[in-house]
Amino acid sequence: MSTSPNTPSFAGLNARPASPANQASPAWLREPLLHFLVLGALLFAVDHVLVGRSDDPRKIVVGAAVDAEAKQVFAAARGREPNEQELKALRQVWLDNEVLYREGLALQVDRGDSAIRERVIFKALSVLDANTKLPAVDDKMLRAWFEKNRAKYDEPARFDFQEAALSGDNSEAAVRAFVTELNGGTPGDAKAGLRVFKGRPHSNIVQSYGPEFAKALEALPPGEWRALSTREGWRAMRLEAISPAKPANFEALRGVVLPDWTDATMAEQRSAAVRALTKKYKVIESGEASKP
């Protein structure tokens, strides 16, 4: 689908232009923040919200339409509205892409596909990449980068547990009474929906249930049902086992770390280059457009 030149675009800024040698998903897609930013690529398919432009080609308005579209796409993907930090990140992606789009038009890279905004952006990125050079990297630098980002490589602690949710009354008193029955040997299948989880990483539990729940689950005695509060109400939980975290070994992962460092460094340099281009424009954030 082609997009209007005025359509808000949240395409992944750090995406590398496709080439036969780069068909596999690069490692930076697994980076939490960058992975979150790529969510914006979904907005390429949205044509019904138009962003008004000033007659001044050096003026960019990051208006309410950008925020509204970002919130809509984020909510559709995550089941909730973005927080202030996440909305700010999506605004920055939109602004970066708007700058790239305008620079692409200035370079006349839109010839042949003037109605396809994303192609103009990626052509402008290709021009930036042609002038981007990686710094020399030695073993000491690579090790330091690995240590700084070892959370990406360490094997996290994993949890095996069960969750029983009472149908109907799931108040604290009802769940505690149900837990007493379960620990007394009474089967709970008839009264509750049982869910079994294997090898769930700590970060996943925090995302699904919240940090307080994760802390409480970790402290449970294995094999015993306990009543715990979750975001969806009280649940009967039983911890089965915890697999301890395992630190990653740099030597074993050297072949993975180097391309990860390459992708991350290129992304940083690309972002810095776009930020430098942004200084050519007067950017007006949402809420400031009405000011004189």
Side-chain angles (χ1 to χ4, degrees):
M1 176 185 297
S2 63
T3 60
S4 164
N6 292 328
T7 302
S9 173
F10 292 84
L13 166 65
N14 298 289
R16 179 177 295 173
S19 66
N22 190 39
Q23 294 300 315
S25 296
W28 57 260
L29 279 175
R30 298 189 294 275
E31 182 74 12
L33 177 59
L34 294 178
H35 185 72
F36 159 73
L37 294 182
V38 175
L39 166 69
L42 295 174
L43 291 184
F44 270 140
V46 180
D47 288 326
H48 66 279
V49 175
L50 301 181
V51 177
R53 285 224 176 95
S54 165
D55 292 334
D56 184 354
R58 295 296 181 184
K59 183 177 179 180
I60 299 176
V61 178
V62 187
V66 175
D67 288 353
E69 204 60 51
K71 290 177 180 179
Q72 179 181 338
V73 172
F74 187 96
R78 299 291 182 88
R80 62 176 177 83
E81 287 209 348
N83 60 33
E84 183 177 349
Q85 181 181 8
E86 292 163 338
L87 182 58
K88 182 178 179 181
L90 281 175
R91 278 181 175 178
Q92 185 62 60
V93 172
W94 182 89
L95 176 59
D96 289 343
N97 284 331
E98 179 65 17
V99 170
L100 283 169
Y101 179 68
R102 296 192 185 195
E103 290 297 310
L105 294 180
L107 292 170
Q108 298 184 331
V109 298
D110 60 318
R111 291 180 177 177
D113 52 13
S114 58
I116 307 178
R117 178 187 176 92
E118 58 268 35
R119 290 190 182 178
V120 174
I121 291 173
F122 279 109
K123 284 184 178 181
L125 272 176
S126 297
V127 174
L128 283 182
D129 281 346
N131 296 307
T132 300
K133 304 297 181 183
L134 280 172
V137 60
D138 55 22
D139 191 73
K140 182 179 180 181
M141 181 187 298
L142 199 60
R143 283 178 179 273
W145 188 88
F146 168 78
E147 292 298 334
K148 183 179 178 181
N149 296 275
R150 71 159 40 251
K152 294 175 54 178
Y153 306 102
D154 289 343
E155 178 65 26
R158 295 184 178 275
F159 296 78
D160 296 343
F161 62 98
Q162 296 184 27
E163 172 187 345
L166 276 174
S167 56
D169 185 6
N170 63 347
S171 65
E172 179 179 0
V175 173
R176 290 192 182 281
F178 179 51
V179 163
T180 300
E181 295 178 14
L182 291 174
N183 287 328
T186 301
D189 294 0
K191 297 178 64 176
L194 185 65
R195 302 171 67 190
V196 178
F197 300 94
K198 296 288 186 180
R200 290 286 290 269
H202 182 270
S203 59
N204 183 271
I205 296 175
V206 170
Q207 182 180 16
S208 300
Y209 294 95
E212 293 301 320
F213 174 88
K215 184 177 180 181
L217 179 67
E218 191 172 5
L220 291 183
E224 183 177 332
W225 288 98
R226 291 290 182 90
L228 293 182
S229 177
T230 74
R231 291 170 175 169
E232 299 178 353
W234 284 85
R235 297 285 189 272
M237 313 293 299
R238 184 171 75 176
L239 178 66
E240 299 293 340
I242 300 178
S243 300
K246 298 178 182 178
N249 181 276
F250 172 76
E251 295 297 340
L253 292 173
R254 182 189 296 272
V256 175
V257 174
L258 180 57
D260 283 0
W261 171 86
T262 300
D263 287 323
T265 303
M266 288 290 291
E268 290 172 1
Q269 293 188 350
R270 191 179 296 124
S271 295
V274 177
R275 301 296 188 276
L277 290 173
T278 304
K279 294 179 181 179
K280 297 166 57 177
Y281 298 88
K282 179 180 179 180
V283 178
I284 300 178
E285 296 286 347
S286 179
E288 297 181 0
S290 59
K291 295 182 181 179

